[in-house]
Coordinates of all heavy atoms in Angstrom, one line a residue:
M1 N -17.4 3.1 -6.6 CA -18.3 3.1 -5.5 C -19.7 3.3 -6.1 O -19.9 4.3 -6.7 CB -17.9 4.1 -4.5 CG -18.5 3.9 -3.1 SD -17.8 2.4 -2.4 CE -19.1 2.2 -1.1
G2 N -20.6 2.4 -5.8 CA -21.9 2.6 -6.3 C -23.0 2.0 -5.3 O -22.7 1.5 -4.3
A3 N -24.2 2.0 -5.8 CA -25.3 1.5 -5.0 C -25.1 0.1 -4.6 O -25.5 -0.3 -3.5 CB -26.6 1.7 -5.6
Q4 N -24.4 -0.7 -5.4 CA -24.3 -2.1 -5.1 C -23.3 -2.3 -4.0 O -23.1 -3.4 -3.4 CB -23.7 -2.9 -6.5 CG -22.3 -2.6 -6.8 CD -22.2 -1.3 -7.7 OE1 -23.0 -0.6 -7.8 NE2 -21.1 -1.2 -8.3
N5 N -22.4 -1.3 -3.7 CA -21.4 -1.4 -2.7 C -21.8 -0.7 -1.3 O -21.2 -0.9 -0.4 CB -20.0 -0.8 -3.1 CG -19.6 -1.5 -4.3 OD1 -19.8 -2.6 -4.5 ND2 -18.7 -0.9 -5.0
W6 N -22.9 0.0 -1.4 CA -23.3 0.8 -0.2 C -24.5 0.1 0.5 O -25.5 -0.1 -0.2 CB -23.7 2.2 -0.6 CG -23.8 3.2 0.6 CD1 -24.8 3.4 1.4 CD2 -22.7 4.0 1.1 NE1 -24.6 4.2 2.3 CE2 -23.3 4.7 2.2 CE3 -21.4 4.2 0.7 CZ2 -22.5 5.5 3.0 CZ3 -20.7 5.1 1.5 CH2 -21.2 5.7 2.6
T7 N -24.3 -0.1 1.7 CA -25.4 -0.6 2.5 C -25.7 0.1 3.7 O -25.0 1.0 3.9 CB -25.1 -2.2 3.0 OG1 -24.0 -2.0 3.8 CG2 -24.8 -3.0 1.8
A8 N -26.8 -0.2 4.4 CA -27.0 0.6 5.7 C -25.8 0.5 6.7 O -25.7 1.4 7.5 CB -28.3 0.2 6.3
A9 N -25.2 -0.7 6.7 CA -24.0 -0.8 7.6 C -22.7 -0.3 7.1 O -21.6 -0.5 7.8 CB -24.0 -2.3 8.0
F10 N -22.6 0.2 5.9 CA -21.3 0.5 5.3 C -20.5 1.6 6.0 O -19.3 1.4 6.3 CB -21.4 0.9 3.8 CG -20.0 1.1 3.2 CD1 -19.4 0.0 2.6 CD2 -19.5 2.4 3.1 CE1 -18.2 0.1 2.0 CE2 -18.1 2.5 2.6 CZ -17.5 1.4 2.0
R11 N -21.2 2.6 6.5 CA -20.6 3.7 7.2 C -20.0 3.1 8.5 O -18.7 3.5 8.9 CB -21.6 4.9 7.6 CG -20.9 6.0 8.2 CD -21.9 7.1 8.5 NE -21.4 8.3 9.2 CZ -22.1 9.2 9.7 NH1 -23.4 9.2 9.4 NH2 -21.4 10.2 10.3
D12 N -20.7 2.4 9.3 CA -20.1 1.7 10.5 C -19.0 0.7 10.2 O -18.1 0.8 11.0 CB -21.3 0.9 11.2 CG -22.4 1.9 11.8 OD1 -22.0 3.1 12.2 OD2 -23.5 1.5 12.1
E13 N -19.1 0.0 9.2 CA -18.0 -1.0 8.8 C -16.8 -0.1 8.4 O -15.6 -0.5 8.9 CB -18.4 -1.8 7.6 CG -19.3 -2.9 7.9 CD -18.6 -4.1 8.7 OE1 -17.3 -4.1 8.6 OE2 -19.2 -4.9 9.2
F14 N -17.0 0.9 7.7 CA -15.8 1.8 7.3 C -15.2 2.3 8.6 O -14.0 2.2 8.7 CB -16.2 2.9 6.5 CG -15.1 3.8 6.0 CD1 -14.5 3.6 4.8 CD2 -14.6 4.8 6.8 CE1 -13.4 4.4 4.4 CE2 -13.7 5.7 6.4 CZ -13.0 5.4 5.1
R15 N -15.9 2.8 9.5 CA -15.4 3.4 10.7 C -14.7 2.3 11.5 O -13.6 2.6 12.1 CB -16.5 3.9 11.6 CG -16.0 4.6 12.9 CD -17.2 5.3 13.7 NE -18.1 6.3 13.0 CZ -19.3 6.1 12.8 NH1 -20.0 5.0 13.3 NH2 -20.0 7.0 12.3
R16 N -15.2 1.1 11.7 CA -14.6 0.0 12.5 C -13.3 -0.3 11.8 O -12.3 -0.6 12.5 CB -15.6 -1.1 12.4 CG -15.1 -2.2 13.3 CD -16.1 -3.4 13.4 NE -16.3 -4.0 12.0 CZ -15.5 -5.0 11.7 NH1 -14.4 -5.4 12.3 NH2 -15.7 -5.6 10.6
R17 N -13.2 -0.6 10.6 CA -12.0 -0.9 9.8 C -11.0 0.1 9.7 O -9.8 -0.1 9.7 CB -12.4 -1.6 8.4 CG -13.2 -2.8 8.5 CD -13.9 -3.0 7.0 NE -14.8 -4.1 7.3 CZ -14.6 -5.4 6.9 NH1 -13.4 -5.6 6.4 NH2 -15.4 -6.3 7.0
R18 N -11.3 1.4 9.4 CA -10.3 2.4 9.1 C -10.1 3.4 10.2 O -9.2 4.1 10.2 CB -10.8 3.2 7.9 CG -11.0 2.3 6.7 CD -9.8 1.7 6.2 NE -10.1 0.6 5.3 CZ -9.7 -0.6 5.3 NH1 -8.9 -1.0 6.4 NH2 -10.1 -1.6 4.5
G19 N -10.9 3.4 11.3 CA -10.7 4.2 12.5 C -11.2 5.7 12.3 O -10.9 6.4 13.2
Y20 N -11.9 6.0 11.3 CA -12.5 7.3 11.2 C -13.9 7.3 10.3 O -14.1 6.3 9.7 CB -11.4 8.3 10.7 CG -11.1 8.0 9.2 CD1 -11.8 8.7 8.0 CD2 -10.1 7.1 8.8 CE1 -11.5 8.6 6.8 CE2 -9.8 6.9 7.5 CZ -10.4 7.6 6.5 OH -10.1 7.4 5.2
D21 N -14.6 8.4 10.6 CA -15.8 8.5 9.9 C -15.6 8.9 8.6 O -14.9 10.0 8.4 CB -16.8 9.4 10.7 CG -18.3 9.3 10.2 OD1 -18.5 8.5 9.5 OD2 -18.9 10.3 10.8
L22 N -16.3 8.4 7.6 CA -16.0 8.8 6.3 C -17.0 10.0 5.8 O -16.7 10.7 4.7 CB -16.5 7.7 5.2 CG -17.8 7.0 5.4 CD1 -18.8 7.9 4.8 CD2 -17.7 5.6 4.6
L23 N -18.0 10.5 6.6 CA -18.9 11.5 6.2 C -18.3 12.7 5.7 O -18.6 13.2 4.7 CB -19.9 11.8 7.3 CG -21.1 12.5 6.9 CD1 -22.0 11.8 5.9 CD2 -21.8 12.8 8.2
R24 N -17.2 13.3 6.4 CA -16.7 14.6 6.0 C -15.9 14.5 4.7 O -15.6 15.5 4.0 CB -16.0 15.2 7.0 CG -14.7 14.7 7.2 CD -13.9 15.5 8.4 NE -13.5 16.9 8.1 CZ -12.5 17.3 7.5 NH1 -11.6 16.5 7.0 NH2 -12.3 18.7 7.3
Y25 N -15.6 13.3 4.3 CA -14.7 13.1 3.2 C -15.5 12.7 1.9 O -14.9 12.6 0.8 CB -13.7 12.0 3.4 CG -12.8 12.3 4.5 CD1 -13.0 11.8 5.8 CD2 -11.7 13.2 4.4 CE1 -12.2 12.3 6.8 CE2 -10.8 13.6 5.4 CZ -11.1 13.0 6.7 OH -10.3 13.5 7.7
L26 N -16.8 12.5 2.0 CA -17.6 12.1 0.8 C -17.5 12.9 -0.4 O -17.5 12.4 -1.5 CB -19.0 11.8 1.3 CG -19.4 10.6 2.1 CD1 -20.8 10.6 2.5 CD2 -18.9 9.4 1.5
P27 N -17.3 14.2 -0.3 CA -17.1 15.1 -1.5 C -16.0 14.7 -2.3 O -16.0 14.8 -3.5 CB -16.9 16.5 -0.9 CG -17.6 16.5 0.4 CD -17.4 15.2 0.9
A28 N -15.1 14.1 -1.8 CA -13.9 13.4 -2.5 C -14.4 12.5 -3.6 O -13.7 12.3 -4.7 CB -12.8 12.8 -1.6
I29 N -15.4 11.8 -3.4 CA -16.0 10.8 -4.3 C -16.3 11.5 -5.6 O -16.3 10.9 -6.7 CB -17.2 10.1 -3.9 CG1 -16.8 9.2 -2.7 CG2 -17.9 9.2 -4.9 CD1 -18.0 8.6 -1.9
T30 N -16.8 12.8 -5.6 CA -17.1 13.6 -6.8 C -16.0 14.3 -7.3 O -16.1 15.2 -8.4 CB -18.1 14.7 -6.4 OG1 -17.6 15.6 -5.5 CG2 -19.4 13.9 -5.8
G31 N -14.7 14.1 -6.8 CA -13.6 14.8 -7.4 C -13.1 16.0 -6.6 O -12.0 16.7 -7.0
R32 N -13.7 16.3 -5.6 CA -13.4 17.6 -4.8 C -12.2 17.2 -3.9 O -12.2 16.1 -3.4 CB -14.7 18.0 -4.0 CG -15.7 18.4 -5.0 CD -16.8 19.3 -4.3 NE -17.6 19.9 -5.3 CZ -18.9 19.9 -5.2 NH1 -19.6 19.4 -4.1 NH2 -19.7 20.4 -6.0
V33 N -11.4 18.2 -3.6 CA -10.3 17.9 -2.7 C -10.9 18.3 -1.3 O -11.5 19.4 -1.0 CB -9.2 18.9 -3.1 CG1 -8.0 18.8 -2.0 CG2 -8.7 18.3 -4.4
V34 N -10.7 17.4 -0.3 CA -11.0 17.6 1.1 C -9.7 17.6 1.9 O -8.9 16.7 1.8 CB -11.9 16.5 1.6 CG1 -12.1 16.7 3.1 CG2 -13.1 16.4 0.7
D35 N -9.4 18.8 2.5 CA -8.1 19.1 3.2 C -7.0 19.2 2.3 O -6.4 20.3 2.2 CB -7.9 18.1 4.3 CG -8.9 18.1 5.5 OD1 -9.5 19.1 5.6 OD2 -9.0 17.1 6.1
S36 N -6.5 18.2 1.6 CA -5.5 18.3 0.6 C -5.8 17.1 -0.4 O -6.5 16.2 -0.2 CB -4.1 18.1 1.3 OG -3.9 16.8 1.8
F37 N -5.0 17.1 -1.5 CA -5.0 16.1 -2.5 C -4.6 14.9 -1.9 O -5.3 13.8 -2.1 CB -4.0 16.4 -3.7 CG -4.1 15.3 -4.7 CD1 -5.2 15.2 -5.6 CD2 -3.0 14.5 -4.8 CE1 -5.1 14.2 -6.6 CE2 -3.0 13.5 -5.7 CZ -4.1 13.4 -6.7
E38 N -3.6 14.8 -1.1 CA -3.1 13.4 -0.5 C -4.2 12.9 0.5 O -4.5 11.7 0.4 CB -1.9 13.8 0.2 CG -0.6 14.1 -0.7 CD -0.6 15.6 -1.1 OE1 -1.4 16.5 -0.6 OE2 0.1 15.7 -2.0
V39 N -4.8 13.8 1.3 CA -5.9 13.3 2.2 C -7.1 12.8 1.4 O -7.5 11.8 1.7 CB -6.3 14.5 3.1 CG1 -7.6 14.1 3.9 CG2 -5.2 14.9 4.1
S40 N -7.5 13.4 0.4 CA -8.6 12.9 -0.5 C -8.2 11.6 -1.1 O -8.9 10.6 -1.2 CB -8.9 14.0 -1.6 OG -9.4 15.2 -0.9
E41 N -7.0 11.5 -1.6 CA -6.6 10.2 -2.3 C -6.4 9.1 -1.3 O -6.9 7.9 -1.5 CB -5.3 10.4 -3.0 CG -5.3 11.2 -4.3 CD -6.2 10.4 -5.3 OE1 -5.9 9.3 -5.6 OE2 -7.0 11.2 -5.9
R42 N -6.0 9.4 -0.1 CA -6.0 8.4 1.0 C -7.4 7.9 1.4 O -7.7 6.8 1.6 CB -5.2 8.9 2.2 CG -5.1 7.9 3.4 CD -4.3 6.7 3.0 NE -4.7 5.6 3.7 CZ -4.1 4.4 3.7 NH1 -3.0 4.2 2.8 NH2 -4.5 3.4 4.3
F43 N -8.4 8.8 1.4 CA -9.7 8.5 1.7 C -10.2 7.6 0.7 O -11.0 6.6 1.0 CB -10.5 9.7 1.9 CG -12.1 9.4 1.8 CD1 -12.7 8.7 2.8 CD2 -12.8 9.8 0.6 CE1 -14.1 8.4 2.7 CE2 -14.1 9.5 0.6 CZ -14.7 8.6 1.5
L44 N -10.0 7.9 -0.7 CA -10.6 7.2 -1.6 C -9.9 5.6 -1.7 O -10.7 4.8 -2.0 CB -10.3 7.8 -2.9 CG -11.1 9.1 -3.2 CD1 -10.7 9.8 -4.4 CD2 -12.6 8.9 -3.2
W45 N -8.7 5.6 -1.4 CA -8.1 4.3 -1.2 C -8.7 3.5 0.0 O -9.1 2.3 -0.2 CB -6.6 4.5 -0.9 CG -5.9 3.2 -0.7 CD1 -5.7 2.7 0.6 CD2 -5.3 2.4 -1.5 NE1 -5.1 1.4 0.6 CE2 -4.7 1.2 -0.8 CE3 -5.2 2.3 -3.0 CZ2 -4.1 0.1 -1.4 CZ3 -4.6 1.3 -3.5 CH2 -4.0 0.2 -2.7
D46 N -9.0 4.2 1.1 CA -9.6 3.5 2.2 C -11.0 3.0 1.8 O -11.4 1.9 2.2 CB -9.6 4.3 3.4 CG -8.3 4.6 4.1 OD1 -7.4 3.8 3.8 OD2 -8.2 5.5 4.9
L47 N -11.7 3.9 1.1 CA -13.1 3.7 0.6 C -13.1 2.3 -0.2 O -13.9 1.4 0.1 CB -13.7 4.8 0.0 CG -15.1 4.7 -0.5 CD1 -16.1 4.8 0.7 CD2 -15.5 5.8 -1.4
R48 N -12.3 2.4 -1.1 CA -12.2 1.3 -2.1 C -11.8 0.0 -1.5 O -12.2 -1.2 -1.7 CB -11.3 1.6 -3.2 CG -11.8 2.7 -4.2 CD -10.8 3.0 -5.3 NE -11.2 4.2 -6.1 CZ -10.7 5.4 -6.1 NH1 -9.4 5.3 -5.5 NH2 -11.1 6.3 -6.8
Q49 N -10.8 0.1 -0.6 CA -10.3 -1.0 0.2 C -11.4 -1.7 1.1 O -11.6 -2.9 1.1 CB -9.1 -0.7 1.0 CG -8.4 -1.9 1.8 CD -7.7 -2.7 0.9 OE1 -7.3 -2.3 -0.2 NE2 -7.5 -4.0 1.3
T50 N -12.2 -0.8 1.8 CA -13.2 -1.3 2.6 C -14.3 -2.0 1.7 O -14.7 -3.1 2.1 CB -13.9 -0.2 3.3 OG1 -12.9 0.5 4.0 CG2 -15.0 -0.7 4.2
A51 N -14.6 -1.3 0.6 CA -15.6 -2.1 -0.3 C -15.2 -3.3 -0.8 O -15.9 -4.3 -0.8 CB -16.0 -1.1 -1.5
Q52 N -13.9 -3.5 -1.2 CA -13.3 -4.7 -1.7 C -13.3 -5.8 -0.7 O -13.8 -6.9 -0.8 CB -11.9 -4.5 -2.2 CG -11.2 -5.7 -2.5 CD -9.7 -5.5 -2.9 OE1 -9.3 -4.3 -3.0 NE2 -9.0 -6.5 -3.0
E53 N -12.9 -5.4 0.6 CA -13.0 -6.4 1.8 C -14.5 -6.9 2.0 O -14.6 -8.1 2.2 CB -12.5 -5.7 3.0 CG -11.0 -5.5 2.9 CD -10.5 -4.5 4.2 OE1 -11.3 -4.2 5.0 OE2 -9.3 -4.3 4.3
L54 N -15.3 -6.0 1.9 CA -16.7 -6.4 2.3 C -17.3 -7.3 1.2 O -18.0 -8.2 1.4 CB -17.6 -5.1 2.4 CG -17.4 -4.4 3.8 CD1 -18.0 -3.1 3.8 CD2 -17.8 -5.3 4.9
V55 N -17.0 -7.0 -0.2 CA -17.4 -7.9 -1.3 C -16.9 -9.3 -1.1 O -17.6 -10.2 -1.3 CB -17.0 -7.2 -2.7 CG1 -17.2 -8.2 -3.7 CG2 -17.9 -6.0 -2.9
I56 N -15.5 -9.3 -0.8 CA -15.0 -10.6 -0.6 C -15.6 -11.4 0.6 O -16.0 -12.5 0.4 CB -13.4 -10.5 -0.4 CG1 -12.7 -10.1 -1.7 CG2 -12.8 -11.7 0.1 CD1 -11.4 -9.6 -1.5
E57 N -15.7 -10.7 1.7 CA -16.3 -11.3 2.9 C -17.8 -11.7 2.8 O -18.3 -12.8 3.3 CB -16.1 -10.3 4.2 CG -14.6 -10.3 4.5 CD -14.4 -9.2 5.5 OE1 -15.4 -8.8 6.3 OE2 -13.3 -8.8 5.7
K58 N -18.5 -10.8 2.4 CA -20.0 -10.9 2.4 C -20.5 -11.6 1.1 O -21.7 -12.1 1.1 CB -20.8 -9.5 2.5 CG -20.2 -8.8 3.6 CD -20.6 -9.4 5.0 CE -20.2 -8.5 6.0 NZ -20.4 -8.9 7.4
H59 N -19.8 -11.7 0.0 CA -20.3 -12.3 -1.3 C -19.4 -13.3 -1.8 O -19.8 -14.5 -1.9 CB -20.6 -11.2 -2.3 CG -21.4 -10.1 -1.8 ND1 -22.9 -10.3 -1.9 CD2 -21.3 -8.9 -1.6 CE1 -23.5 -9.3 -1.5 NE2 -22.6 -8.3 -1.3
A60 N -18.1 -13.1 -2.1 CA -17.3 -14.1 -2.8 C -17.1 -15.2 -1.9 O -17.1 -16.5 -2.4 CB -16.1 -13.5 -3.2
E61 N -16.8 -15.1 -0.6 CA -16.6 -16.3 0.3 C -17.8 -17.0 0.4 O -17.7 -18.3 0.4 CB -16.2 -15.7 1.6 CG -14.8 -15.1 1.7 CD -13.7 -16.1 1.4 OE1 -13.8 -17.3 1.6 OE2 -12.7 -15.7 0.8
H62 N -19.0 -16.5 0.4 CA -20.3 -17.2 0.5 C -20.5 -18.1 -0.9 O -21.0 -19.2 -0.8 CB -21.4 -16.4 0.7 CG -21.4 -15.8 2.2 ND1 -21.8 -16.5 3.3 CD2 -21.0 -14.5 2.6 CE1 -21.6 -15.8 4.3 NE2 -21.2 -14.5 3.9
L63 N -20.2 -17.4 -1.9 CA -20.3 -18.1 -3.3 C -19.2 -19.3 -3.3 O -19.7 -20.4 -3.9 CB -20.0 -17.1 -4.3 CG -21.2 -16.0 -4.7 CD1 -20.6 -15.2 -5.7 CD2 -22.4 -16.7 -5.1
K64 N -18.1 -19.1 -2.8 CA -17.1 -20.2 -2.8 C -17.7 -21.4 -1.9 O -17.5 -22.5 -2.4 CB -15.8 -19.7 -2.2 CG -14.9 -19.1 -3.3 CD -13.5 -18.6 -2.7 CE -12.8 -19.5 -1.7 NZ -11.7 -19.0 -1.1
G65 N -18.2 -21.1 -0.8 CA -18.8 -22.1 0.1 C -20.0 -22.8 -0.6 O -20.0 -24.0 -0.6
W66 N -20.8 -22.1 -1.2 CA -22.0 -22.6 -1.8 C -21.5 -23.4 -2.9 O -22.1 -24.6 -3.2 CB -22.9 -21.5 -2.4 CG -24.0 -22.0 -3.1 CD1 -25.1 -22.5 -2.7 CD2 -24.2 -22.0 -4.5 NE1 -26.0 -22.9 -3.7 CE2 -25.5 -22.5 -4.8 CE3 -23.4 -21.5 -5.6 CZ2 -25.9 -22.7 -6.1 CZ3 -23.8 -21.7 -6.9 CH2 -25.0 -22.3 -7.1
D67 N -20.6 -23.0 -3.8 CA -20.1 -23.7 -4.9 C -19.4 -25.0 -4.5 O -19.6 -26.1 -5.2 CB -19.1 -22.9 -5.8 CG -18.8 -23.5 -7.1 OD1 -19.6 -23.7 -7.9 OD2 -17.6 -23.9 -7.2
A68 N -18.6 -24.9 -3.4 CA -17.9 -26.1 -3.0 C -18.9 -27.3 -2.7 O -18.7 -28.4 -2.9 CB -17.0 -25.7 -1.8
G69 N -20.0 -26.8 -2.0 CA -21.1 -27.8 -1.6 C -21.8 -28.4 -2.8 O -22.3 -29.5 -2.8
M70 N -21.8 -27.6 -4.0 CA -22.5 -28.1 -5.1 C -21.5 -29.0 -6.0 O -22.0 -29.7 -6.9 CB -23.1 -26.9 -6.1 CG -24.0 -26.0 -5.3 SD -25.5 -26.7 -4.9 CE -26.3 -26.9 -6.6
G71 N -20.2 -28.8 -5.7 CA -19.3 -29.7 -6.5 C -19.1 -29.3 -7.8 O -18.7 -30.2 -8.7
S72 N -19.4 -27.9 -8.4 CA -19.3 -27.8 -9.7 C -18.0 -27.0 -10.1 O -17.7 -26.8 -11.3 CB -20.5 -26.7 -10.2 OG -20.4 -25.6 -9.5
G73 N -17.2 -26.7 -9.1 CA -15.9 -26.1 -9.4 C -16.1 -24.6 -9.6 O -16.9 -24.1 -10.4
C74 N -15.3 -23.9 -8.7 CA -15.5 -22.5 -8.5 C -14.5 -21.7 -9.6 O -13.4 -22.2 -9.8 CB -15.1 -22.1 -7.2 SG -15.5 -20.4 -6.7
P75 N -15.0 -20.6 -10.2 CA -14.1 -19.9 -11.1 C -12.9 -19.5 -10.4 O -13.0 -19.2 -9.2 CB -15.0 -18.7 -11.5 CG -16.4 -19.1 -11.2 CD -16.4 -20.1 -10.1
S76 N -11.8 -19.4 -11.1 CA -10.5 -19.0 -10.4 C -10.6 -17.7 -9.8 O -9.9 -17.3 -8.8 CB -9.4 -19.1 -11.4 OG -9.6 -18.2 -12.5
S77 N -11.3 -16.8 -10.3 CA -11.5 -15.4 -9.7 C -12.1 -15.4 -8.4 O -11.9 -14.5 -7.6 CB -12.3 -14.5 -10.6 OG -13.7 -15.0 -10.7
L78 N -12.7 -16.4 -8.0 CA -13.4 -16.5 -6.6 C -12.4 -17.3 -5.7 O -12.7 -17.3 -4.5 CB -14.7 -17.2 -6.5 CG -15.8 -16.4 -7.3 CD1 -17.0 -17.2 -7.2 CD2 -16.0 -15.0 -6.6
T79 N -11.3 -17.9 -6.2 CA -10.6 -18.7 -5.2 C -9.3 -18.0 -4.8 O -8.6 -18.5 -4.0 CB -10.2 -20.0 -6.0 OG1 -9.3 -19.6 -7.2 CG2 -11.3 -20.9 -6.4
T80 N -9.1 -16.8 -5.2 CA -7.8 -16.1 -4.7 C -8.2 -15.2 -3.7 O -9.3 -14.8 -3.4 CB -7.3 -15.3 -5.9 OG1 -8.2 -14.4 -6.4 CG2 -6.6 -16.3 -7.0

């Protein structure tokens, strides 16, 4: 998780997709345990899953559409 994955809307997107606010769990990003190891790991999974979904929806899908319009053939990594 880095600056390239964090936007002004990320917190709201996380809440909408995962059903809880990420703020109290942010120390887990630095390796700290929040509540328990299992809870911290679950949060990190949810965080990565949300970032992955957003990258696909907000970037990769747009690149596929743009590339299809250009007719140059999209790399296989963007077609899955």
